[in-house]
Amino acid sequence: MKLFPAICIVLFLSFPLCVWSEDLESPAAEKISAVEETGSAREERKSPLKVVFSSSANGWDYARAVLETAGVNLAVHSFSSIVNQSSWANVSLETMKKNLTNPWRLWDDNTFFMNQMAHPYFGSLYFTSGRSNGLNFLASSILAAGGSFMWETFLEASTPSLPDFVTTTTAGMVTGEALYRLSMEASQISPVFLWLLSPMCGVTSILRGGRSTPAAGNIHSADIAFSGSMVTSAVSFPESPLSPSSSNKNSFGYTTKIVYGNPYAHNSKELFDQFFLRGDFYRGTNYEFSRLIIDGALYAFSIFDSYRPETTAALGFNYNYHRTSDINFSAGSLGLALRQRIVFDWGEISWDSQLNYIFLGVTDNYFVLSGDSRVSLSKKQPAYSFRTGPEAKIAFALKNDSLVSIGLEASAQFLFSYLNSAQDSRIDGWSAIQWAELSVERRIYAPFSIGIADSFYHKYDHHTQIPCTDQIVNFVRLYIKLHLKPQ
């Protein structure tokens, strides 16, 4: 089961995108075309209300979307009950009545993978049941919430969990919209890719006997880099007699980046019609690194009337997931973004800044994650805790195909524990997290580049009753990149 998200990421981030490895146009022609498209988009700018509420769905579409959502829940529950014979699937009228009348659990103790990856994925199935039937983003979001409520209340014997409901709904919205839009692009190649990226879109296409799809060609850029890497990790314990530890590991894998919609001088026609997606998956001896970052623009608009510099302000809605042997971290956030691109004869410079608030963050607890017996924690405490706080992100890129291109990405989070969110109160406190990646690459032949990247992760956890921890992970990789669709 743990390999399933990785397989999905490989499929929807790699094979379908080959359709966009078009014949390379001259950089100048591409930039002129982008400016013309930007001007056209500005003239057709829609008001926020039209963006939020516009819909072409009818009553049958809504009914079909609800039935598909219920069908997902019933199919998964039947498998869990009959095949896996899971105890939590032994539901009855009594369990349903109890879940409807008793208070929900404020916090949850399931595994990090189950809560932060499986729940978002199933939330995306509910969401795309709506989108594939013509429902807009808002209506599909309500459907995702309804699907999660049905599951938590009627199809689990255990007491419903509030974090599960929030994560399934919000992360399902973000991942669902990204999968839906990418599946529309990939369906132009083959219906097989439609099913791989978004199974509910495939189901809907059968029930509707074929359907119209949004116009393809909305991918702004896409590339995939295959890498060999060396990972160094270390942990120390400030103001504690505990001895530090460190290790070195090797791994191999890939990094994929997709930019959907032109992020510069962008005017929204629909909610979430522009987003950035990054997927990483690396494996090595006793080491795993997987990450999914989706930063979306709920609503965006261009600032300047002139086309240069191309500047966009956006209301951001994001979901980030990191799961490695050293790090467990996920965050659902809302915030503001400002991004700009300046085009020169020799290349371009672009930057992106975000200021977000993480409404539900999940961070690892070192002693539980590593099984460190030097601090004895309750067996009921999962290897993470729930936190909230501000987040800042920034990205900078300098592109020059004839020389080298430089990229810099960085983020910082300052998170506080939700009150009584931990099973063991000794891990309550605050966390300061910083991540940065510097990359340098050079185009070697047509759509191929080679490069080197260095990623640095630092996390400081302050606890009041157990030793504070200071974690560092450094990730150096050499890669060859295939530009599936250059900017």
Side-chain angles (χ1 to χ4, degrees), residues 93-112:
L93 291 177
E94 283 299 317
T95 62
M96 297 177 188
K97 180 180 178 181
K98 180 192 68 174
N99 290 342
L100 282 171
T101 57
N102 289 350
W104 285 23
R105 288 178 296 165
L106 289 179
W107 307 111
D108 191 82
D109 59 358
N110 287 339
T111 65
F112 179 84

Side-chain angles (χ1 to χ4, degrees), residues 419-430:
L419 185 63
N420 299 323
S421 66
Q423 301 288 337
D424 191 320
S425 62
R426 290 178 295 168
I427 67 169
D428 285 337
W430 54 266

